[in-house]
């Protein structure tokens, strides 16, 4: 009972923090059209808002190789440089256009371990105003099952407000 109450309280706090950081990101990026600046700001501000974020960043669709993602702005330890569509969690998000919420990365077929401390992960596709896939946003945690529907809703909202 106490545990369930605690979980609910934490979820409400987390949702409130996503709503706050969404406003902060919009304020910082007001009038800034550059895509790299926008991605770097989202990665930095989200990574610094939540303790359960371990690696935070973008893999962008390479304009020269349209079925390949290449690393973009990120916060964290060294990330893999390139990921093919369909490979690992990021590649699955790019291929399907759907958010991937992975409680245990070791159980995900083809998961790419850039840092062996990663335990769970969320990857959200990023679309531009025309609905074209331009990148995926990847957050890894060093704790198992660190992400839930509150993270998904919070991140999806910020990405569509920033890039859509
Ligand atoms: N874990 C990801 C690879 C990217 S990194 O963890 C930074 C994946 O399987 O897509």
């Amino acid at each position: 009972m106490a545990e369930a109450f605690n979980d609910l309280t934490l979820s409400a706090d987390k949702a409130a923090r996503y709503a706050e950081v969404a406003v902060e990101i919009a304020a910082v990026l007001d009038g800034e059209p550059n895509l790299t600046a926008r991605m770097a700001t989202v990665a930095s501000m989200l990574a610094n808002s939540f303790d359960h974020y371990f690696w935070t960043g973008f893999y962008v669709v390479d304009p020269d190789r349209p079925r390949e993602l290449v690393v973009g702005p990120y916060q964290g330890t060294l990330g893999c440089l390139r990921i093919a569509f369909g490979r690992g969690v990021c590649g699955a998000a790019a291929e399907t256009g759907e958010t991937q919420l992975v409680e245990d990365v070791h159980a995900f077929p083809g998961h790419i371990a850039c840092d062996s401390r990663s335990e769970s992960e969320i990857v959200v596709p990023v679309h531009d105003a025309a609905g074209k896939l331009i990148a995926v946003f990847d957050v890894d945690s060093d704790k198992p099952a660190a992400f839930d529907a509150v993270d998904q809703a919070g991140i999806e909202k910020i990405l569509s407000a920033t890039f859509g």
Side-chain angles (χ1 to χ4, degrees):
M1 185 69 173
E3 202 168 296
F5 181 74
N6 249 345
D7 282 355
L8 275 181
T9 315
L10 288 175
S11 276
D13 287 352
K14 192 162 67 167
R17 184 64 195 126
Y18 274 109
E20 269 170 18
V21 74
V23 173
E24 293 163 7
I25 289 170
V28 171
L29 290 178
D30 188 32
E32 176 52 68
N34 182 272
L35 207 51
T36 304
R38 296 182 80 77
M39 289 184 178
T41 301
V42 168
S44 174
M45 291 183 78
L46 281 174
N48 286 291
S49 295
F50 296 105
D51 288 339
H52 63 304
Y53 279 42
F54 172 70
W55 193 97
T56 311
F58 291 86
Y59 279 91
V60 299
V61 179
D62 187 337
D64 301 322
R65 303 187 203 170
R67 297 265 311 153
E68 210 167 284
L69 300 165
V70 62
V71 77
Y74 69 92
Q75 299 271 316
T77 54
L78 182 66
C80 318
L81 297 187
R82 289 182 176 273
I83 300 174
F85 275 42
R87 259 201 83 210
V89 187
C90 292
E95 187 83 284
T96 61
E98 276 168 23
T99 295
Q100 308 289 307
L101 193 50
V102 180
E103 294 198 341
D104 175 6
V105 294
H106 307 293
F108 192 94
H111 168 252
I112 305 158
C114 293
D115 189 309
S116 59
R117 287 169 290 181
S118 265
E119 294 285 345
S120 59
E121 176 165 6
I122 183 167
V123 183
V124 181
V126 182
H127 298 97
D128 67 10
K132 192 175 116 203
L133 181 78
I134 54 168
V136 301
F137 180 66
D138 177 15
V139 191
D140 291 20
S141 179
D142 56 0
K143 315 256 175 332
F147 304 103
D148 58 19
V150 174
D151 295 284
Q152 179 170 348
I155 295 169
E156 286 176 351
K157 203 165 172 193
I158 287 170
L159 294 176
S160 66
T162 310
F163 301 102

